[in-house]
């Protein structure tokens, strides 16, 4: 039945063309009229300020103009400085490692959790779990970081727990090996409940008839998840995945800034934290903008490619 | 309704042991997510010096409602509360409208200029002009120091448009076609078919927007230099930032002394503030959960 | 169902209460309740009617908070909009000079963002706190003529005594703010310390729990080896008596300013002076004591004596910190330590140990007349220069300094035997505040502070603070004596300047850019290296490689820049 929906879609596309050809312009006008206010907002608030990117190619100081005769053009100086910087390779490596860990755990956790919730049929219990799961999302990053730092301290809650399993009693905050895991776990823990909202809503919109049909075919619990629920989530998983992959060069900078110490710089210093330190030293508006443009370009390119692949393989994409 | 019950009874037939494990697993997940909130709660109730140690794990050490007293009598906080409510309500309504209309347009099969439009939406997801040009724009538009600066620029989200659009895709075209044959126009198709069917995704967008607005402070930091119209999170952040600015950073004795004093007096306050500012929004989710119940969408389809 | 109703009720309740507060705020919106734009006229209104029109100076600054004894946070705007007598005195003082202030006050946490963005949009004020504005932006503002030379104003519009104050008097420390064009564009706060006629600054460095030493019958350590033994003994003999080996030393692993590094003669920053007097700039990495220092820290770390949390209140509050780095004349660190019931309070006393390596330890100290670098105020081209000239007269007057530090005689202080004594047992919030802090308009708010500290008086206050926490007889006299010895027997000590950058001439545009470029990587490198060496994750055997790497990252160039700046300031 699921497949059938998709099929009708394809057919109807061609059918429509023949039937309503004359009204296309008129309908388009109506559709655009609906979209216009929002598109204008996007144009004003997203596109108008875009000229700011230009400062990546000049030596900008607040108070001077962005374009004009007194602009100090430096070309690709900042990009060169960033890419040939002493720590460039390490920054990219650390950023990628943390992002990939996030992709493996942070991306999948909300999906698995939504699937788990779907198995819980006791409504009140389900509501309670669901509400509970998104609580951490509301605790300010500053407090979350303070809490985790206290938990992984030499005599903290988690350290004590780990020591039962034979781990060393130490301050795990200063342990380079532990950092990526602490960071990833904190991120996942903070976000999985909130992230699962979308999946829960999509699962709820899957036609119950599909499950009925699957059961008649003798599908067990896992087969139902595999053959009905997951296909139903396919589209939203795909677009989320594309977005996550596109964000591969951005990390939760706020959290890292609160977590890291010079002892863990070697694994924790990422593009975001590095440009932050640059920024507080001397403004460095142009340099940090250049670093931002660099990550944006890569993110944009990755998204573009990922979307192409997804459209080809799964038939769904961001656009 | 009947349909749902029938379906519920059937799925229960699964392996009991597995069901039990799944229920336990869910309980465990709930524990690790509820505990931190509980932890914040007991810290907020403990004597300030214990709150400062953060080593309070089970029940409050000592009992002190001082922080809550300070909060309840803080008129600035109540004003910030009201501001946040205003922003939440306005933004949620606007967000659902803007996301729906554009998503509907993108979903329209014979849209002219779709390629251009998708690119138009995609670019701002990755590129922004930075803080200063946005600021200059807000000043030029006369929104600086005005509550509208918290509403108008936050009235849309490209990501939400994409989400709604992807949801609309799963709505069978046959429905729109049937409506068209009945003589429905574009607007009627949107209102009669997509709006009722889109409830679950609207609920998601609403929850997203409520939470995002509730948690947002950066726009206020940039565009609202005075506290009159600032939202709750600016108020909370003020307390948190003051607390975390460490004593060692102070460059002269007086500043160090001041920082040390604030560090301690705010130790408990920050936790009370979190409890106080989080409670209302925690209830937003259960409120919208009813839109996530299975069978609802298909039920409305049959209407 | 129940839940939903509760939620609705809660929502309604919060909204009603919120809107009530909102209405309350509305009434006074024109005058703003919360640090908005505020015309300061209340006190000066009557004056205004009688005398000539007052010149308005519009100030963009920080709405600085302070905490009174009841734990309430009071903001400068509360003073301005409320009935603060101290603020009223300030406005009437200014009105006498024909000036009234118009304030635009911004919350402290937001100020940096607001000032940066407003500079980009164009400043609209006469006077501005430029805290958080980077030097490149400042130079640009000068280039565009937004900021005006203050030296020209005091030359032309101020009284002769004001001019003297800034050119030959105590205010001449501001010459360090001189830009390349020979002008001064911003005022810094100034602290003038005076110990029996000599000028002395504040000391900051390592402080040890003297009460623990006494409890365990350990002499005050005089060498770093003795210090190590004492710190170890604290743990082994459970100085805090909680049954755990948790008595720790808080000395930052990644910084040279932790008190212990100074025992090995090291400067306080990546770039520092070897010799305070000769002004030769170097880096701790090139100093003799560096390896011994790292080995000592490593020894502390390996023995589990270092507090790896480095910051945060937990360990301090839990009575675990044996050694900290702080202001020697401060008594606020102790206030945060919770000791077991019935015991005397904590007592941190300044400590300097010889390192037995032939390098003499250094005492890090502020200048006797210190140009503080925590904020600056500047004037813009829209300002009425003549009015600014009169404001400067006031800012360097004793009247202003006394009002800022002590408030009003008979209200917040009394004069006993020619010494000003603050009233500490008042019920009035602002009197409580000023008994602890300077008036809310200084310290990074709107006006530069001119602090005159009687160091002898300061030491008496230190001793006094001990009486109420369990040292009925001696007070904190140990604490005070260590500082007194420095003042009186200074020939026995070697000094280092606490903030090396404070005595450097303002950097040129090129120097600023170059330093910023270099420091980003150098700071990352040295902090990480220092930490890893102490934690034993990097080997001391590769020393030459590390130094070579730092040279490659531009350490020498950075030193050279600072040397040039120093020479310019002291030519």
């Amino acid at each position: 039945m699921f497949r059938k929906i998709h099929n009708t879609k394809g057919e109807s596309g061609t059918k429509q063309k023949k039937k309503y050809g004359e009204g296309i312009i008129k309908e388009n006008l109506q559709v655009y009229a609906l979209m216009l206010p929002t598109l204008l907002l996007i144009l004003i608030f997203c596109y108008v300020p875009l000229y700011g990117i230009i400062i990546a190619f000049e030596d900008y100081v607040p108070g001077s103009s962005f374009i004009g005769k007194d602009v100090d053009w430096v070309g690709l100086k900042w990009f060169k400085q960033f890419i040939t910087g002493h720590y460039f390779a390490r920054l990219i490596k650390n950023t990628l490692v943390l992002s990939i860990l996030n992709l493996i755990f942070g991306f999948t956790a909300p999906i698995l959790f939504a699937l788990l919730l779907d198995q819980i049929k006791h409504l009140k219990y389900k509501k309670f779990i669901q509400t509970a799961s998104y609580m951490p999302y509301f605790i300010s990053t500053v407090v979350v970081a303070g809490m985790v730092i206290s938990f992984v301290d030499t005599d903290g809650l988690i350290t004590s727990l780990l020591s039962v399993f034979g781990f060393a009693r130490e301050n795990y905050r200063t342990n380079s090996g532990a950092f990526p895991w602490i960071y990833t776990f904190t991120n996942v823990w903070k976000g999985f409940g909130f992230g699962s909202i979308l999946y829960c809503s999509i699962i709820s919109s899957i036609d119950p008839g599909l499950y009925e049909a699957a059961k008649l075919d003798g599908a067990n619990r896992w087969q139902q998840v595999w053959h009905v629920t997951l296909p139903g989530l396919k589209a939203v998983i795909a677009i989320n995945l594309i977005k996550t992959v596109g964000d591969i060069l951005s990390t939760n900078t706020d959290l890292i800034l609160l977590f890291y110490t010079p002892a863990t710089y070697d694994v924790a210093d990422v593009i975001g934290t590095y440009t932050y330190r640059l920024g507080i030293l001397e403004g460095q508006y142009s340099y940090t903008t250049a670093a931002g443009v660099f990550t944006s370009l890569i993110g944009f390119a990755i998204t573009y490619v990922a979307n192409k692949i997804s459209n080809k393989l799964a038939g769904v994409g961001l656009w | 309704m009947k349909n749902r019950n029938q379906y519920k009874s059937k799925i229960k037939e699964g392996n009991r042991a597995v069901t039990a494990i799944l229920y336990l697993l869910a309980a465990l997940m709930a524990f690790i997510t509820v505990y931190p909130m509980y932890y914040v709660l007991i810290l907020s109730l403990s004597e300030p010096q214990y709150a400062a140690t953060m080593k309070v794990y089970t029940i409050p050490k000592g009992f002190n409602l001082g922080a809550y007293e300070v909060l309840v009598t803080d008129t600035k906080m109540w004003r910030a509360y009201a501001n946040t409510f205003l922003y939440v309500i306005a933004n949620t309504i606007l967000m659902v409208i803007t996301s729906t209309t554009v998503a509907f347009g993108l979903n329209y099969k014979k849209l002219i200029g779709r390629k251009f439009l998708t690119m138009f939406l995609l670019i701002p997801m990755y590129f922004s002009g930075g803080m200063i040009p946005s600021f200059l724009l807000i000043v030029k538009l006369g929104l600086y120091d005005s509550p509208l600066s918290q509403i108008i620029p936050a009235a849309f989200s490209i990501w939400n448009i994409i989400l709604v659009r992807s949801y609309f895709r799963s709505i069978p075209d046959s429905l729109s076609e049937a409506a068209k044959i009945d003589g429905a126009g574009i607007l009627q198709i949107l209102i009669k078919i997509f709006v009722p069917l889109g409830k679950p995704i609207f609920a998601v967008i609403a929850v997203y927007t409520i939470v995002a607005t509730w948690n947002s402070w950066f726009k206020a930091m940039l565009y609202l230099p005075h506290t009159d119209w600032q939202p709750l999170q600016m108020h909370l952040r003020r307390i948190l930032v003051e607390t975390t600015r460490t004593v060692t950073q102070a460059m002269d004795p007086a500043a160090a002394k001041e920082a040390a004093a604030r560090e301690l007096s705010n130790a408990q306050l920050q936790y009370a503030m979190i409890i106080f500012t989080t409670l209302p929004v925690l209830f937003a989710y259960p409120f919208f959960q009813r839109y996530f119940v299975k069978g609802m969408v298909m039920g409305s389809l049959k209407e | 169902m129940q839940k939903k109703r509760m939620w609705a009720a809660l929502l309604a309740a919060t909204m009603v209460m919120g809107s009530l507060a909102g209405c309350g705020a509305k009434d006074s919106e024109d005058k703003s309740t919360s640090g908005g734009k505020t015309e300061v006229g209340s006190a000066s209104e009557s004056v205004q009617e009688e005398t000539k029109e007052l010149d308005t100076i519009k100030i963009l600054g920080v709405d600085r908070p302070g905490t009174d004894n009841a734990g309430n946070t009071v903001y400068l705007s509360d003073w301005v909009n409320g009935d603060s007598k101290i603020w009223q005195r300030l406005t009437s003082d200014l009105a006498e000079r024909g000036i009234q202030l118009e304030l635009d006050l911004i919350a402290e946490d937001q100020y940096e963002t607001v000032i940066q963005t407003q500079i980009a949009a164009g400043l609209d004020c006469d006077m501005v706190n430029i805290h958080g504005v980077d030097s490149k932006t400042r130079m640009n503002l000068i280039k565009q003529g937004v900021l005006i030379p203050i030296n020209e104003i005091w030359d032309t519009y101020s009284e002769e005594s004001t001019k003297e104050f800034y050119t030959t008097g105590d205010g001449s420390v501001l010459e360090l703010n001189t830009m390349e064009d020979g002008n001064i564009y911003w005022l810094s706060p100034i602290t003038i310390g005076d110990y029996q006629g000599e000028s002395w600054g504040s000391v900051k460095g390592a402080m040890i729990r003297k009460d623990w030493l006494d409890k365990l019958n350990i002499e005050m350590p005089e060498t770093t080896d003795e210090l190590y033994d004492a710190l170890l003994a604290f743990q082994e003999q459970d100085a805090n008596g909680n049954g755990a080996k948790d008595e720790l030393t808080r000395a930052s692993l990644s910084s040279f300013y932790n008190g212990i590094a100074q025992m090995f003669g090291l400067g306080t920053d990546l770039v520092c002076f070897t010799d305070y007097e000769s002004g030769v700039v170097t880096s701790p990495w090139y100093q003799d004591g560096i390896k011994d220092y790292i080995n000592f820290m490593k020894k502390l770390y390996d023995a589990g004596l270092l507090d790896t949390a480095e910051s945060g209140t937990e360990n301090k509050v839990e009575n675990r910190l044996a050694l900290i780095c702080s202001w020697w004349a401060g008594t606020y660190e102790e206030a945060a330590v919770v000791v077991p019931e019935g015991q005397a309070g904590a007592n941190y006393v300044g400590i300097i140990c010889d390192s037995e390596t032939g390098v003499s330890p250094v005492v890090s100290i502020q200048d006797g007349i210190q140009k503080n670098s925590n904020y600056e105020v500047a004037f813009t081209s829209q300002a009425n220069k003549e009015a600014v000239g009169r404001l400067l007269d006031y800012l360097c007057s004793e009247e202003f300094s006394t009002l800022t530090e002590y408030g009003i005689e008979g209200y917040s202080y009394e004069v006993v035997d020619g010494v000003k004594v603050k009233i500490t047992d008042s019920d009035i919030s602002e009197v409580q505040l000023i008994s602890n802090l300077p008036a809310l308009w200084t310290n990074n708010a709107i006006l530069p502070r001119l602090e005159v500290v009687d160091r002898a008086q300061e030491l008496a206050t230190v001793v006094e603070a001990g009486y109420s926490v369990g040292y009925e007889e001696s007070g904190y006299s140990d604490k005070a004596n260590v500082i007194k010895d420095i003042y009186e027997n200074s020939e026995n000590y070697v000094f280092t300047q606490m903030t090396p950058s404070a005595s450097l001439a303002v950097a040129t545009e090129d120097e600023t850019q170059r330093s910023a470029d270099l420091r980003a990587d150098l700071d990352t490198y040295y902090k990480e290296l220092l930490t890893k060496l102490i934690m034993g994750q990097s080997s001391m055997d590769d020393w030459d490689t590390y130094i070579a790497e730092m040279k490659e990252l531009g350490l020498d160039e950075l030193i050279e820049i600072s040397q040039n700046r120093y020479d310019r300031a002291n030519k």
Side-chain angles (χ1 to χ4, degrees), chain A residues 107 198-199 233-245 303 307 310 316-319, chain B residues 125 159 161-167 169:
Chain A
F107 172 70
L198 178 63
Y199 298 109
L233 288 176
K234 192 174 76 171
V236 71
I237 289 179
I239 62 169
N240 252 334
L241 185 63
I242 295 167
K243 180 154 190 288
T244 316
V245 171
T303 311
N307 193 59
S310 172
V316 278
L318 287 182
W319 64 88
Chain B
M125 278 182 73
W159 178 241
I161 291 172
I162 291 176
L163 286 183
V164 178
R165 198 265 163 124
S166 124
Y167 190 90
R169 265 189 185 177

Side-chain angles (χ1 to χ4, degrees), chain B residues 113-156:
Chain B
R114 181 192 310 278
K115 272 226 157 122
F116 169 77
L117 208 56
T118 46
M119 211 28 111
F120 179 80
L121 293 178
L122 195 66
I123 288 172
M125 278 182 73
Y126 289 91
F127 298 95
S128 85
M131 188 172 88
I132 290 172
S134 301
F135 174 83
L136 296 176
L137 176 72
I138 292 288
V139 173
K140 284 258 157 63
L141 293 174
L143 298 178
Y144 190 53
D145 211 0
S146 147
L148 285 177
S149 68
Q150 305 303 300
I151 297 173
I152 298 175
F156 65 91

